[in-house]
Amino acid sequence: ALVEKISRYEALKNYTDFVLGNGIGADLYMSDEAYRKIVNENFDEVTPGYAMKHGAMVNSKGEINFATIDAFIAETKKAGLKVFGHTLVWHSNQNASYLNGIIAPTVIPGSSGTNILDVAGLKSGTFTNWSRGNPGKGITILANQGLAPNTQAIQLASSATSSLAYNLQITSPTTTIVTGHNYEISFYIKSDVAGKGRLSFDADASLKSKYPFKDWMNTGSETEAFATTSSWKQVKIKLAPSEFQTTATGFKFNIDLGYLPNVTYLIDVNTLSVVDLDAATGPVNLISNGTFNSGITGWSKANGANDALSDAPAANAYEGSGAMKVVNAVSTPTEQWRTQIQTTFTSPLTAGKNYTISYMIRSEATGSVRCSSTPSSLASYQGDQTTTTTWKQIEWKITAKGGETGFGFDLGGAAGTYYIDNVLVTDGSSSGSGPTAPITIEKTDAEKAKIIGDAMADWISKMMTHYKTSVFAWDVVNEPMKEDGTLRAGNEGETATDHFSWVKYLGKDYAVTAFKLARQYGNESDKLFINDYNLESRLDKCEGLIKYVEYIESQGGKVDGIGTQMHIGLTTDKDKIVQMFQKLAASGKLIKISELDIRLGTNAPTVAQQASPPEMYQFVI
């Protein structure tokens, strides 16, 4: 009935000489024919309300999915509509989980056990027992260049003619082995430019294959070599008993980095290790399956949805070949037991004895976990622990009441997807030196600025390039100002899950960079806007925005226009509206009423109230 009524009127766009636009839902436009028809007939321009923003288009890996907007633009083109791009850089509607994830602390997994590799010669800088048979441009030890603060790194530089793996090579001392045992070699490595490397072995005296193919960096596929970048990456391989010669009593390995010319590599000395995975070391674990490397045997769902519990592949593990995945669909902060995963101890706990339960956990968004012991008649409860997208080690120390048969993870407090690995329950007894705790390293402010700056450049450059022939006007920066006319600082305390303040990491010039990037990758003739709200109610905010535009242009950015979001009501001060437009006009910039809605302030308007907005619309126009 409403569609029929609307169709009796002349198209809205015919009532004005201005370009008349509408902020619409892209999905609704594509799926609802009546909605699409009304939009097509009444407007000159459209802006997708959400689907074109960072939060909608960027996934957890930083990849951009253009499919929805590509289809939307194709459909609007058929209708003769222009699309206004909204919005490239804003503190809201971001994939904040991704952006926060790339600047999250680096978590260095602890050693799988005691390091039996002789690295004394590296730490002393003498290379005793290590061989630099093919040194390229040089193999040296550098202080304060390792992964953790104040640690050492081996620097290996390939020559200008380097082309074969062994053209740059360092060889380890011999590590004695026990027949039938599994061994693990691991280290962290990075390079100044894209690099490539492998490990090789003495096929006559140790391994059957001198150049084994391995899943070097937990990618899910075995290859001849691993790739390196400017970020630290872990190389970690296991050598099974079947890979050794039957007569082998030990092995050396070569780190071969000569594939590519003019690459400089750093290998962290502290993380360079060989571990006997079958050595009788480490604390006695009082549960049978805490690593999940062979599935989730021994763990069961006590409460929760049918699909609450599953095993996760190596890609989601803290380390090893698997982890436990738990999905909690509904947040019930005071009823954590609603989703509950349990296991049993190898033997009941002893009354009065102290025990420690430790585990690694992360969640796909901010979450909450606690542990509780079983049975319920003997239950003790851990306090709620916050989880994040970064792996975190949590410990719970309890004094047993006596007779506890197991414990569980209670994850009903906060909805989300959780991954749990390396669960260890111990009474303090140990048969040697076992796995070490992980090391967490915070990124510096400079590192965060570089990472976030690169993410902004990637996002804007790809959006402007992809839509260069389809979109010719954009909100480049949205809502940069506080109500008093000063620039947001990124510490306003917003807690929404899609909130991310670019300015917090890039500073005052974040908008300068954004406008430069948009101009660089778009068309010279594109109209680029800065946009904000409440400019008609806070004239100091309006003035602050104009001053910020002047600053952006003083630093080499070019701003074509200023957008004003006018979320107004029937009683909004008309004199201030006039003053706002006068101030904006005096800036010399294009003025775009980017949003205009007139609120009645009631959900049950009278007929008279419903008839009131036209006069205010007419006044604004």
Side-chain angles (χ1 to χ4, degrees):
L2 285 172
V3 171
E4 183 180 336
K5 183 175 181 179
I6 290 171
S7 68
R8 297 173 190 161
Y9 290 87
E10 189 175 350
L12 279 180
K13 61 187 178 184
N14 294 339
Y15 287 86
T16 176
D17 292 332
F18 288 117
V19 173
L20 192 65
N22 196 3
I24 64 172
D27 290 341
L28 192 57
Y29 179 84
M30 297 297 290
S31 63
D32 189 315
E33 184 178 355
Y35 182 91
R36 184 166 62 250
K37 184 173 185 292
I38 291 173
V39 171
N40 291 346
E41 290 177 350
N42 287 278
F43 298 96
D44 304 297
E45 178 182 274
V46 289
T47 302
Y50 175 70
M52 205 169 187
K53 294 172 184 170
H54 190 278
M57 297 185 68
V58 176
N59 68 13
S60 61
K61 298 179 181 179
E63 301 162 337
I64 303 174
N65 184 349
F66 296 103
T68 297
I69 295 301
D70 284 354
F72 173 76
I73 287 178
E75 192 65 32
T76 56
K77 277 185 176 180
K78 289 194 296 186
L81 293 170
K82 293 181 180 179
V83 172
F84 185 83
H86 178 66
T87 176
L88 292 173
V89 179
W90 188 20
H91 61 266
S92 191
N93 288 171
Q94 310 299 306
N95 187 334
S97 178
Y98 163 68
L99 293 171
N100 285 317
I102 59 178
I103 57 174
T106 299
V107 179
I108 309 171
S111 169
S112 298
T114 302
N115 186 9
I116 59 175
L117 178 66
D118 178 5
V119 293
L122 301 179
K123 292 185 175 182
S124 68
T126 62
F127 289 94
T128 302
N129 297 327
W130 288 77
S131 171
R132 293 173 283 178
N134 295 304
K137 282 196 294 190
I139 301 176
T140 57
I141 300 295
L142 299 182
N144 304 316
Q145 295 298 311
L147 182 53
N150 305 313
T151 58
Q152 298 166 295
I154 315 170
Q155 178 177 276
L156 306 96
S158 64
S159 70
T161 58
S162 192
S163 61
L164 300 173
Y166 56 79
N167 289 157
L168 177 61
Q169 183 183 72
I170 184 171
T171 304
S172 75
T174 298
T175 297
T176 303
I177 65 171
V178 177
T179 301
H181 281 207
N182 292 276
Y183 290 85
E184 176 185 276
I185 303 174
S186 64
F187 55 88
Y188 273 78
I189 185 171
K190 69 176 182 178
S191 52
D192 60 341
V193 295
K196 184 178 179 181
R198 74 177 184 194
L199 297 187
S200 61
F201 300 84
D202 183 344
D204 296 325
S206 58
L207 266 67
K208 296 174 182 177
S209 173
K210 187 172 184 178
Y211 311 113
F213 277 48
K214 291 287 184 180
D215 184 2
W216 306 98
M217 292 183 171
N218 198 23
T219 61
S221 61
E222 294 188 343
T223 57
E224 171 199 338
F226 52 82
T228 64
T229 69
S230 58
S231 298
W232 287 106
K233 305 285 185 182
Q234 187 182 35
V235 173
K236 189 177 195 180
I237 64 168
K238 187 171 80 171
L239 302 176
S242 61
E243 296 181 74
F244 288 96
Q245 299 280 7
T246 55
T247 57
T249 58
F251 69 90
K252 297 181 179 181
F253 62 88
N254 309 303
I255 304 177
D256 298 335
L257 298 169
Y259 284 100
L260 301 171
N262 298 319
V263 183
T264 299
Y265 301 87
L266 292 178
I267 296 175
D268 181 70
V269 172
N270 268 20
T271 61
L272 181 54
S273 67
V274 175
V275 173
D276 181 348
L277 296 176
D278 299 310
T281 59
V284 177
N285 198 348
L286 301 182
I287 60 170
S288 60
N289 180 19
T291 63
F292 310 105
N293 289 335
S294 301
I296 53 175
T297 303
W299 295 84
S300 61
K301 174 178 66 69
N303 292 296
N306 291 335
D307 60 350
L309 174 63
S310 61
D311 57 342
N316 294 119
Y318 169 68
E319 64 179 1
S321 57
M324 182 166 66
K325 176 181 178 181
V326 184
V327 178
N328 173 48
V330 179
S331 296
T332 315
T334 60
E335 297 180 354
Q336 299 92 327
W337 54 268
R338 291 283 184 183
T339 295
Q340 190 175 60
I341 310 301
Q342 295 180 342
T343 191
T344 57
F345 299 133
T346 53
S347 60
L349 303 189
T350 303
K353 194 169 185 179
N354 295 321
Y355 295 84
T356 300
I357 297 174
S358 69
Y359 53 96
M360 298 298 299
I361 187 168
R362 73 173 180 87
S363 48
E364 292 185 353
T366 301
S368 178
V369 63
R370 76 168 188 192
C371 292
S372 59
S373 55
T374 56
S376 57
S377 59
L378 296 171
S380 297
Y381 299 95
Q382 182 185 27
D384 291 345
Q385 306 292 309
T386 300
T387 65
T388 69
T389 56
T390 301
W391 282 105
K392 176 181 183 181
Q393 186 179 50
I394 295 176
E395 283 192 350
W396 180 36
K397 296 182 181 295
I398 62 171
T399 300
K401 297 175 181 178
E404 292 94 333
T405 57
F407 86 103
F409 293 103
D410 300 342
L411 295 158
T417 299
Y418 299 82
Y419 299 95
I420 298 170
D421 204 352
N422 286 15
V423 184
L424 178 65
V425 181
T426 179
D427 61 1
S429 63
S430 174
S431 57
S433 176
T436 59
I439 300 171
T440 299
I441 302 175
E442 294 285 348
K443 292 179 174 62
T444 65
D445 289 345
E447 289 171 330
K448 291 178 181 179
K450 173 68 166 59
I451 293 167
I452 294 304
D454 289 346
M456 177 192 279
D458 183 73
W459 160 245
I460 294 179
S461 65
K462 288 178 178 175
M463 287 293 285
M464 298 302 293
T465 301
H466 191 84
Y467 294 116
K468 196 168 185 174
T469 60
S470 304
V471 181
F472 306 103
W474 295 81
D475 272 339
V476 177
V477 173
N478 195 42
E479 300 178 9
M481 312 308 294
K482 291 194 280 190
E483 293 303 280
D484 63 359
T486 60
L487 186 67
R488 289 179 185 268
N491 56 4
E492 286 80 15
E494 309 248 10
T495 57
T497 57
D498 65 352
H499 178 90
F500 184 87
S501 292
W502 300 87
V503 68
K504 179 177 180 179
Y505 302 98
L506 302 180
K508 184 178 182 180
D509 282 2
Y510 86 103
V512 177
T513 302
F515 274 96
K516 286 181 177 180
L517 287 167
R519 187 69 65 191
Q520 176 184 350
Y521 290 100
N523 303 291
E524 184 60 33
S525 58
D526 286 350
K527 302 304 180 188
L528 306 181
F529 286 81
I530 194 167
N531 186 55
D532 219 318
Y533 64 93
N534 280 358
L535 304 184
E536 73 289 325
S537 63
R538 290 296 302 258
L539 294 176
D540 49 353
K541 185 176 186 180
C542 181
E543 291 166 355
L545 181 62
I546 293 170
K547 288 180 181 177
Y548 191 42
V549 169
E550 292 170 353
Y551 174 79
I552 292 169
E553 297 207 315
S554 75
Q555 301 302 306
K558 185 176 185 299
V559 181
D560 294 305
I562 301 174
T564 172
Q565 301 175 33
M566 300 188 67
H567 307 296
I568 61 177
L570 298 177
T571 60
T572 298
D573 189 330
K574 291 183 178 179
D575 183 56
K576 285 187 176 180
I577 291 176
V578 172
Q579 290 184 61
M580 175 196 72
F581 278 119
Q582 289 173 339
K583 290 178 184 294
L584 293 176
S587 75
K589 299 300 177 185
L590 295 172
I591 306 168
K592 182 179 182 69
I593 301 175
S594 54
E595 301 176 40
L596 177 58
D597 45 83
I598 296 169
R599 300 172 178 180
L600 298 179
T602 175
N603 61 2
T606 65
V607 172
Q609 285 174 312
Q610 287 178 323
S612 299
E615 190 276 331
M616 182 61 91
Y617 275 112
Q618 289 170 0
F619 176 80
V620 170
I621 297 301

